[in-house]
């Protein structure tokens, strides 16, 4: 192990065990075009801040030699001393906090830690885009602060991951906002806007990169690896499931980068797919930035996918910022062989340098711009630590609460047994793509702040639980007043490069839980730490298991958040952002990318929108300590959607069943604006506790023919209500966006006839008439 790696590991472990971050002497951030930078850059056009970023970038690129240009095409770009251009590292990660997984962020000087927020899937369970925005803002501020003290060699952040979590076995599903394209899209917009900074300024706080376009959700399943997998995806599924989050990233959030996936889509590697990257991402969506390949994705085109016969061909078909050195190594030969031109490289480099211009790297000392005041004191702030706690609390989902066993009264809990491999493991809090956290509160530590007499037993050798101390756990459970079990998964079961083959709890966990529950004086409380869902049907039906919580991978404050929920200092409000399937779902091949069910072959479909099968828990499920009611009310009147606007439009007819519809493209941007209307939902907290509540609004079609979803989430609002309080929440409805469906050919249409807005069992009919 290298000394630097060992040092970082020690810093991380120290933070996980509660050590305070150590401050050292700050360094200087790299920059160009200022009096303190190399004199060579002074007076050149690329230093002129009055010019547009693309114009400045083009000037800089024009001054580079061919060799210097090629050297800039990897994730580690060397400096150009003769022009005063500093080196740059493009690969930096901040999925749920600044991470050390990339090449450019370091925690070895003035800053030794950063705020670790919950893994994305748990944060998504809050259904609160204001929370997501604030998390993005906090991570962006910490990234810029790290840069200002000289511990970041880049401000391009390769996050968020907005792929659709369509298969519960996917090892990286934990990194995503879940299975619903509307949720993933809104998460993408909030996070990107937050991390990139003040939208009123042309200066980016950081550059966000939305990954991995597109239809990527397989790591290594039954011998099929992501590097060689060819995803067969219909136009319908691409348009209404896989692509919407990336479209929102670019069109609404103005992300400055999109990363292409390892996946080959219908035979063409995503990173060589000009229809996707040039036609759609840059052309239709208008990406103002660059496209990055996932690490070594260009090399994989030749070595694993056999799409390109030579390294030079692979570089030629996919020229872009590559995570790795493959393009740098083979671009010169590609030019010599006539497969690539210097103009192709100029175009790619201009996109790259334009982003660096927007980051202020060529505006002189960055400590003098609007983000220049940020420094070491702006990392691990009390505000950010509280936000990490808030995010964990708001995401925790209460799955079972028989007899109202929760919340507990701390004055009546005299002793507690804490059992489970995830009870006192700091790594179980921070998931993957992590850096050293500011602090770490494990579930055991959290409970110890509420209960004086706590006895702990891991019960298993690890989350894999291939060795279990069942007899000791049973003895401990029988001797204590309350029993808390902290079970679930770890990165050894689900992670990048590793998919699950079973949805059951690993190893001997189920038998251990059952034995402990049987021995306990009263029903036990089971807390699951995991990314993907697990089949816990046995626990649902066991009366000796009184309560179940899903706490995801809850970040640095996870243990305190769990304790606050258990003891009623926080009323749980999380809702599942994914369907929890039974073990029988594992019969479905992960390689089958179809979203829609096929009853003729027994294929059940995927996600709540199309799945036709049994569930353990449904999408959006989550209990509270309070009783909430929700109903649609007629506030502002619904417009007559049979207005003259639609009269002049030509109807289309689906040949198979004669359905009539309007093309959304034909309605046009102005027409779609005119069709918008508000819908009001009245929500009441009937008590007994104050609490936050998320209202989900769905659309239902009269039937599911032609691939229509069973239902589709079209909006959500989160509101804090005191016990007894009532509020009216406004949902802005855009029929072109919310009532449209995607046909088999990928075209969006709005059916003529009835559509139903749904909140719980309350419906409102909206009709389109010719």
């Amino acid at each position: 192990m290298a000394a630097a790696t060992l040092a970082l590991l020690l810093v991380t472990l120290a933070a996980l065990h509660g050590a305070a971050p150590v401050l050292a002497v700050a360094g200087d951030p790299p920059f160009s075009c200022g009096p303190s930078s190399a004199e060579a850059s002074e007076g050149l056009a690329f230093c002129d801040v009055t010019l547009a970023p693309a114009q400045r970038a083009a000037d800089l690129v024009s001054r580079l030699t061919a060799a210097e240009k090629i050297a800039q095409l990897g994730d580690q770009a060397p400096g150009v001393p003769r022009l005063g251009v500093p080196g740059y590292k493009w690969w930096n990660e901040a999925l749920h906090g600044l991470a050390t997984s990339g090449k450019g962020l370091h925690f070895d000087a003035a800053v030794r830690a950063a705020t670790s927020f919950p893994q994305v899937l748990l944060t998504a369970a809050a259904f609160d885009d204001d929370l997501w925005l604030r998390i993005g803002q906090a991570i962006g501020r910490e990234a810029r602060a790290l840069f200002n003290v000289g511990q970041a060699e880049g401000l391009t952040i390769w996050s968020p991951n907005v792929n659709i979590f369509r298969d519960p076995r996917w090892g990286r599903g934990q990194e995503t906002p879940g299975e619903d394209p509307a949720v993933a899209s809104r998460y993408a917009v909030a996070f990107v806007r937050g991390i990139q900074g003040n939208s009123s300024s042309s200066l980016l706080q950081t550059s966000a990169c939305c990954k991995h376009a597109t239809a990527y959700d397989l790591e290594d399943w039954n011998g099929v690896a992501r590097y060689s997998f060819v995803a067969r995806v219909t136009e319908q599924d691409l348009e209404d499931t896989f692509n919407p989050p990336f479209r929102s990233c670019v069109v609404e959030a103005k992300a400055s980068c999109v990363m292409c996936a390892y996946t080959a889509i219908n035979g063409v590697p995503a990173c060589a797919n000009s229809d996707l990257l040039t036609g759609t991402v840059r052309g239709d969506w208008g990406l103002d930035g660059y496209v990055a390949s996932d690490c070594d994705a260009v090399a994989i085109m030749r070595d694993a996918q056999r799409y390109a016969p030579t390294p030079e061909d692979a570089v030629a078909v996919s020229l872009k910022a590559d995570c790795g050195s493959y393009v740098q190594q083979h671009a010169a030969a590609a030019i010599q062989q006539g497969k690539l031109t210097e103009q192709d490289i100029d175009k790619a480099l201009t996109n790259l340098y334009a982003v660096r211009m927007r980051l202020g790297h060529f505006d002189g000392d960055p400590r003098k711009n609007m983000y220049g005041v940020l420094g070491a004191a702006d990392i691990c702030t009390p505000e950010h630590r509280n936000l990490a706690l808030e995010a964990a609390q708001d995401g925790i989902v209460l799955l079972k609460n028989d007899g109202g066993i929760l919340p507990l009264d701390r004055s009546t809990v005299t002793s507690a047994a804490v059992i489970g491999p995830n009870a006192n493991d700091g790594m179980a809090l921070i998931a993957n793509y992590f850096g050293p956290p500011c602090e770490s509160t494990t579930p055991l530590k959290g409970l110890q702040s509420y209960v004086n007499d706590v006895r702990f037993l891991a019960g298993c050798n690890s989350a894999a639980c291939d060795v279990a101390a069942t007899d000791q756990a049973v003895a401990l459970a029988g001797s204590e007043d309350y029993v808390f079990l902290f079970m679930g998964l770890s990165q050894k079961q689900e992670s990048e490069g590793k998919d699950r083959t079973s949805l059951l709890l690993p190893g001997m966990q189920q038998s251990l839980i059952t034995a402990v529950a049987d021995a306990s004086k009263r029903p036990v409380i089971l807390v699951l730490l995991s990314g993907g869902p697990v089949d816990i049907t046995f626990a649902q039906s066991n009366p000796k298991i009184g309560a179940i919580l899903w706490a995801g991978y809850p970040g640095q404050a996870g243990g305190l958040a769990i304790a606050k929920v258990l003891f009623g200092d926080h009323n749980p409000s999380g809702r599942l952002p994914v369907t929890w399937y039974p073990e029988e779902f594992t019969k479905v091949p992960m390689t089958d990318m179809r979203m829609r069910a096929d009853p003729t072959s027994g294929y059940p479909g995927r996600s709540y929108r199309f799945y036709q099968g049994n569930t353990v828990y449904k999408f959006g499920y989550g209990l509270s300590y309070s009783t909430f009611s929700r109903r649609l009310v007629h506030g502002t009147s619904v417009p007559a959607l049979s207005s003259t606007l639609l009269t002049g439009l030509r109807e289309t007819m689906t040949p198979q069943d004669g359905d009539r519809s309007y093309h959304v493209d034909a309605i046009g941007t102005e027409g779609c604006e005119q069709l918008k209307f508000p819908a009001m939902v009245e929500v009441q907290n009937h008590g007994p506790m104050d609490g936050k509540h998320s209202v989900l609004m769905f659309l239902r079609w009269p039937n599911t023919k032609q691939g229509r979803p069973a239902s589709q989430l079209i909006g959500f609002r989160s509101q804090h209500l005191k016990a007894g309080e009532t509020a009216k929440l406004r949902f802005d409805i855009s029929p072109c966006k919310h009532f449209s469906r995607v046909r088999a050919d990928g075209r969006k249409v709005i059916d003529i006839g009835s559509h139903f807005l749904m909140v719980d069992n309350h419906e409102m009919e909206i009709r389109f008439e010719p």
Side-chain angles (χ1 to χ4, degrees):
M1 180 181 293
T5 304
L6 178 59
L8 172 62
L9 179 60
L10 292 174
V11 168
T12 303
L13 291 174
L16 288 172
H17 287 85
V22 179
L23 297 183
V25 179
D28 295 322
F31 65 91
S32 187
C33 300
S36 300
S37 66
E39 295 180 1
S41 64
E42 294 181 7
L44 300 177
F46 66 79
C47 293
D48 186 349
V49 297
T50 67
L51 299 178
Q55 187 177 352
R56 297 172 68 190
D59 176 76
L60 174 53
V61 171
S62 72
R63 300 175 187 277
L64 300 176
T65 67
E68 288 170 339
K69 291 175 183 179
I70 291 170
Q72 298 296 306
L73 292 174
D75 67 272
Q76 298 187 67
V80 186
R82 67 183 184 84
L83 294 176
V85 177
Y88 190 78
K89 294 186 177 179
W90 291 89
W91 181 14
N92 306 287
E93 302 282 0
L95 183 67
H96 57 99
L98 303 186
T100 56
S101 311
K103 300 287 182 66
L105 306 184
H106 312 287
F107 296 92
D108 53 3
V111 177
R112 298 298 181 94
T115 309
S116 179
F117 295 95
Q119 179 63 292
V120 175
L121 193 65
L122 184 69
T123 300
F127 284 87
D128 184 346
D129 37 16
D130 175 68
L131 174 67
W132 304 337
L133 174 70
R134 288 184 286 131
I135 290 174
Q137 289 171 333
I139 294 173
R141 287 174 63 85
E142 294 199 352
R144 178 61 81 156
L146 199 67
F147 181 82
N148 287 348
V149 300
Q151 290 181 234
E153 298 173 76
L155 281 171
T156 39
I157 305 298
W158 287 354
S159 296
N161 182 344
V162 293
N163 288 103
I164 297 299
F165 190 4
R166 54 177 273 290
D167 193 296
R169 294 162 288 186
W170 185 29
R172 299 187 74 175
Q174 58 181 294
E175 301 176 21
T176 77
E179 70 183 37
D180 181 76
V183 175
S185 295
R186 282 181 56 174
Y187 179 87
V189 171
F191 185 87
V192 170
R193 285 177 175 171
I195 200 170
Q196 289 198 159
N198 189 343
S199 60
S200 64
S201 170
S202 59
L203 179 67
L204 294 174
Q205 179 172 244
T206 69
S207 164
C209 192
C210 297
K211 60 185 186 183
H212 314 78
T214 184
Y216 163 46
D217 74 339
L218 180 146
E219 300 299 308
D220 189 348
W221 177 81
N222 282 358
V224 179
R226 58 181 177 168
Y227 304 123
S228 57
F229 175 51
V230 178
R232 300 295 175 185
V233 189
T234 66
E235 288 295 323
Q236 192 174 35
D237 287 342
L238 276 174
E239 184 61 32
D240 79 352
T241 297
F242 297 112
N243 283 352
F246 294 100
R247 181 190 301 113
S248 294
C249 264
V250 175
V251 176
E252 297 178 64
K254 308 301 181 186
S256 45
C257 169
V258 169
M259 176 180 285
C260 50
Y262 293 117
T263 314
I265 304 164
N266 299 326
V268 181
C271 290
N273 193 322
S274 60
D275 288 343
L276 171 67
L277 301 178
T278 303
T280 300
V281 174
R282 197 173 291 283
D284 296 344
W285 300 346
L287 173 68
D288 181 11
Y290 69 102
V291 174
S293 70
D294 208 340
C295 292
D296 297 318
V298 178
I300 287 165
M301 286 182 206
R302 173 181 178 264
D303 299 337
Q305 295 169 334
R306 304 298 181 189
Y307 182 77
T310 69
E312 293 76 23
D313 288 294
V315 168
V317 298
S318 64
L319 183 62
K320 54 187 65 70
D322 180 41
C323 175
S325 59
Y326 197 80
V327 175
Q328 292 164 312
Q329 293 170 5
H330 298 288
I335 293 174
Q336 293 169 358
Q337 296 173 21
K339 297 173 180 177
L340 190 67
T341 68
E342 192 169 341
Q343 289 70 36
D344 294 327
I345 293 178
D346 289 352
K347 185 176 180 180
L349 285 181
T350 299
N351 290 330
L352 291 170
Y353 272 110
V355 170
R356 290 187 63 182
M357 297 292 173
R358 293 165 64 193
L359 287 165
H361 293 165
F362 295 87
D363 297 349
D365 192 337
R367 291 169 296 193
K368 296 181 180 179
N369 64 38
M370 63 182 293
Y371 300 116
V373 298
L374 298 174
D378 296 288
I379 299 177
C380 291
T381 64
E383 179 186 5
H384 292 177
R385 294 174 193 239
N386 290 337
L387 182 59
L389 174 61
E390 177 187 348
Q393 290 176 161
D394 287 357
I396 291 172
V397 181
L398 179 61
L399 298 174
K400 178 181 179 180
N401 194 23
D402 283 0
I405 186 175
L406 297 179
L408 299 171
D409 181 348
R410 65 188 303 176
S411 66
T412 65
V413 182
T414 58
S415 65
V418 174
I419 299 170
N422 285 336
N424 198 35
D425 181 2
M427 297 302 293
L429 302 176
I430 58 178
N432 64 353
Y433 285 96
F434 61 84
C438 313
E439 58 193 6
S440 181
T441 304
T442 65
L444 175 62
K445 187 176 179 181
L447 284 174
Q448 287 172 332
S449 67
Y450 279 82
V451 183
N452 290 327
D453 183 7
V454 176
R455 295 177 63 193
F456 165 64
L457 179 71
C460 296
N461 59 329
S462 66
C465 203
D466 43 27
V467 177
T470 305
D471 291 343
Q472 294 168 268
V474 165
L476 177 60
S479 66
E480 302 301 312
D481 193 18
Y482 280 84
V483 177
F484 302 88
L485 287 151
F486 290 91
M487 314 299 283
L489 307 175
S490 75
Q491 300 304 303
K492 296 291 181 64
Q493 287 78 48
E494 52 175 355
S495 62
E496 183 170 0
K498 184 183 292 294
D499 295 319
R500 288 185 288 159
T501 56
S502 172
L503 298 179
L504 300 175
L505 288 170
M508 303 171 70
Q509 281 197 38
Q510 179 171 328
S511 61
L512 176 66
I513 293 168
T514 301
V516 166
D518 287 343
S520 178
K521 299 174 182 177
R522 62 182 83 228
V524 302
I525 296 162
L526 173 62
V527 181
L528 299 170
L529 274 67
S530 73
V534 288
D535 182 352
I536 51 167
T537 305
F538 77 96
Q540 278 182 315
S541 57
N542 188 340
K544 292 286 289 179
I545 300 174
I548 306 173
L549 284 79
W550 176 68
Y553 296 120
Q556 65 179 44
L560 180 58
I562 292 168
K564 282 180 170 288
V565 169
L566 292 174
F567 286 90
D569 285 339
H570 182 82
N571 194 347
S573 58
R575 289 171 172 257
L576 293 177
V578 291
T579 302
W580 282 35
Y581 299 88
E583 174 70 1
E584 65 190 44
F585 187 84
T586 58
K587 298 175 183 177
V588 177
M590 282 191 73
T591 50
D592 194 326
M593 298 295 292
R594 290 176 295 168
M595 294 300 299
R596 285 144 172 96
D598 180 8
T600 61
S601 65
Y603 182 70
R606 296 172 184 273
S607 87
Y608 78 93
R609 298 160 63 224
F610 305 109
Y611 177 62
Q612 298 176 3
N614 297 322
T615 62
V616 179
Y617 291 109
K618 295 182 181 296
F619 172 88
Y621 179 83
L623 302 175
S624 170
Y625 296 150
S626 292
T627 300
F628 290 89
S629 62
R630 301 151 296 274
R631 67 185 184 94
L632 279 159
V633 296
H634 293 273
T636 305
S637 60
V638 177
L641 297 183
S642 56
S643 65
T644 55
L645 173 67
L646 302 178
T647 303
L649 296 179
R650 183 173 63 87
E651 300 173 19
T652 62
M653 184 173 291
T654 305
Q656 294 91 332
D657 55 14
D659 287 344
R660 297 181 300 156
S661 59
Y662 294 111
H663 283 297
V664 171
D665 289 343
I667 298 174
T669 302
E670 184 177 345
C672 287
E673 278 294 318
Q674 294 178 31
L675 287 174
K676 291 180 178 179
F677 66 93
M680 305 298 293
V681 176
E682 183 179 272
V683 56
Q684 182 175 2
N685 181 354
H686 299 276
M689 292 177 61
D690 299 350
K692 188 177 177 182
H693 185 68
S694 295
V695 177
L696 310 186
M697 180 178 288
F698 293 84
L699 181 77
R700 179 179 69 81
W701 285 263
N703 60 67
T704 57
K705 295 184 298 183
Q706 300 303 313
R708 293 174 178 85
S711 64
Q712 170 65 61
L713 182 71
I714 62 171
F716 52 88
R717 290 283 306 275
S718 183
Q719 180 74 34
H720 188 277
L721 295 169
K722 295 180 179 180
E725 184 179 1
T726 300
K728 288 186 178 180
L729 305 183
R730 173 178 170 136
F731 288 75
D732 293 318
I733 307 300
S734 171
C736 289
K737 179 178 181 180
H738 298 135
F739 288 9
S740 62
R741 64 178 177 89
V742 176
R743 299 190 318 192
D745 62 2
R747 299 275 316 261
K748 283 188 175 182
V749 298
I750 302 178
D751 292 328
I752 294 174
S754 296
H755 302 73
F756 300 90
L757 296 179
M758 297 193 309
V759 175
D760 295 337
N761 295 323
H762 296 267
E763 290 191 349
M764 177 189 295
E765 183 179 7
I766 310 292
R767 292 187 60 82
F768 272 74
E769 298 293 355

